[in-house]
Amino acid sequence: MTGPLTVAGKRGIIRRYLDQLPVSAATPIVTLDEGDTPLIFSERLSQETGAEVWLKYEGLNPTGSFKDRGMTMAISKALEEGSKVVVCASTGNTSASAAAYAGRAGMVCAVLIPEGNVALGKLAQALVHGARVLEVKGNFDQALELTKQMADEQPITLVNSVNPFRIEGQKTAAFEVVEALGRAPDLHVMPVGNAGNITAYWKGYREAIDLGWSDSLPAMFGFQADGANPIVTGSPIASPKTIATAIRIGNPASWSGATDAANDSGGRISSVRDKEILEAYRSLAAEGVFVELASAASVAGLRQMAAEKRIPPGATVVCVLTGHGLKDPDWAIAGAPRPLTVEASIGPILEHLDLA
Ligand code: AN7
């Protein structure tokens, strides 16, 4: 019976990739068995683009986003260092994840979110996991500056992706992609907000080469939203605007990580319109994959690349779907027809379904 026990003992990204992460026997592992998410083949997007398109569905992490990979590392290391309080600024997913992992570790979690711009499900998560939630009258970038100041002046650990342990944890998603495909994809496509995740994937792919797990690197393509595209325009945006609130960020903390990944890999940082994000969101949902708006920026970006003939025929492409659609029920319902109310009898039901 050693087989199953070994597998059970390797749940969570820290245990699975122990030798590739900055942990030791002294590190208390705070985990919710994150990672090991599916890489789903997309028949429709493959036909549409002439490539082989795979979807890395990060919405299936314990709190519904990729943030859990970084948070298991950040909270474990904070606990190891004796920290009792953590803080983060967030467009929603970081705060949901921080709240859950801090709660598990018995730590106090403070979160600063931009007032009125966090999806309902994410706010619910931070609250239910017991975080001290403060809605800041400002945007994400202002909230992040305030949390940096708090961590400088107080005995508080900052768990935004400027914390290097976050990037370490998040790089494991690239390891999983390489493991599933047997090599790195030709093209890697993902949304970009604060740019921690693209920095992490690029680090992971490069390490996979050093480890002998892959003999190639992907070209890295990151997509911001048109109204929140500072890396594309080349300067910070004071009032970023997009329906994809998760990536409504005007001054990314890991800016150079994103440009390095794109430049060094032969890829690009570009942006997509809100309308295109919404179309990608709906077409993914029609294919059975429910993601949040920000996640759909990767598929909107893939379509832009296809329109620009940037996808070689038959190329292997991975699109990262960063968060679950249930995070933001308001958008899902807003774009759908309202359900009909019918009498509890078979006749009207069949009639309404055009089956009578
Ligand atoms: C679903 O939670 O910044 O480029 O505070 O939630 O690594 O910032 C979230 C970002 C993409 C962008 N998709 O990732 C936060 C936060 C989803 C996200 C991004 C976010 P980064």
Side-chain angles (χ1 to χ4, degrees):
M1 293 298 283
T2 53
L5 281 173
T6 310
V7 171
K10 286 191 177 168
R11 281 190 165 174
I13 60 111
I14 297 181
R15 290 197 178 93
R16 289 186 76 209
Y17 299 106
L18 204 59
D19 294 340
Q20 286 75 46
L21 292 168
V23 290
S24 71
T27 312
I29 299 176
V30 183
T31 178
L32 288 162
D33 295 357
E34 59 295 313
D36 202 12
T37 55
L39 189 67
I40 305 169
F41 183 68
S42 173
E43 196 78 49
R44 290 191 197 185
L45 288 170
S46 298
Q47 275 176 10
E48 196 180 312
T49 60
E52 195 181 286
V53 181
W54 299 85
L55 306 171
K56 182 65 171 163
Y57 192 23
E58 289 288 278
L60 290 195
N61 276 295
T63 77
S65 87
F66 71 96
K67 304 285 183 184
D68 295 340
R69 296 179 184 276
M71 209 52 74
T72 182
M73 276 297 298
I75 297 292
S76 296
K77 295 301 284 189
L79 191 62
E80 180 180 348
E81 289 157 10
S83 180
K84 293 186 170 56
V85 184
V86 297
V87 68
C88 67
S90 181
T91 57
N93 279 325
T94 298
S95 57
S97 187
Y101 283 80
R104 203 161 171 79
M107 297 166 114
V108 173
C109 177
V111 311
L112 271 58
I113 56 174
E115 186 187 28
N117 278 297
V118 168
L120 192 64
K122 304 175 188 182
L123 180 60
Q125 289 178 289
L127 294 172
V128 82
H129 293 307
R132 309 259 181 96
V133 180
L134 298 174
E135 287 198 303
V136 177
K137 295 182 178 180
N139 60 31
F140 168 82
D141 304 286
Q142 293 166 305
L144 182 58
E145 281 313 310
L146 291 165
T147 55
K148 283 180 182 168
Q149 213 173 313
M150 285 170 70
D152 281 347
E153 293 169 7
Q154 306 285 335
I156 301 177
T157 303
L158 182 61
V159 295
N160 278 100
S161 58
V162 291
N163 178 326
F165 297 123
R166 282 276 312 277
I167 305 293
E168 288 297 315
Q170 285 174 210
K171 77 183 180 188
T172 61
F175 295 164
E176 290 178 16
V177 168
V178 165
E179 203 178 322
L181 296 176
R183 65 180 187 94
D186 300 313
L187 310 178
H188 177 97
V189 185
M190 64 189 299
V192 171
N194 214 22
N197 210 26
I198 191 167
T199 304
Y201 268 97
W202 183 231
K203 188 170 200 283
Y205 282 127
R206 280 177 297 146
E207 288 184 14
I209 295 260
D210 297 339
L211 290 160
W213 295 346
S214 175
D215 54 14
S216 65
L217 288 168
M220 303 287 291
F221 290 85
F223 289 90
Q224 303 190 295
D226 268 3
N229 62 350
I231 302 177
V232 178
T233 63
S235 50
I237 292 176
S239 303
K241 286 183 185 62
T242 169
I243 56 170
T245 52
I247 53 171
R248 193 173 179 270
I249 295 172
N251 190 12
S254 299
W255 190 309
S256 63
T259 48
D260 286 354
N263 295 339
D264 297 351
S265 71
R268 195 171 70 147
I269 308 295
S270 187
S271 64
V272 285
R273 291 184 293 151
D274 277 0
K275 186 171 172 286
E276 295 164 333
I277 291 176
L278 203 51
E279 282 165 9
Y281 168 83
R282 297 222 174 96
S283 73
L284 280 163
E287 200 181 349
V289 184
F290 192 19
V291 303
E292 62 175 283
L293 287 171
S295 307
S298 62
V299 169
L302 176 80
R303 287 180 163 160
Q304 184 189 89
M305 290 168 66
E308 292 173 354
K309 309 243 179 299
R310 284 175 183 270
I311 305 177
T316 304
V317 183
V318 166
C319 280
V320 183
L321 303 178
T322 45
H324 202 289
L326 287 171
K327 295 269 188 178
D328 197 350
D330 293 327
W331 266 105
I333 293 170
R338 291 189 62 79
L340 284 171
T341 306
V342 295
E343 296 302 328
S345 95
I346 195 79
I349 289 173
L350 292 179
E351 210 169 290
H352 280 304
L353 296 173
D354 298 324
L355 296 171

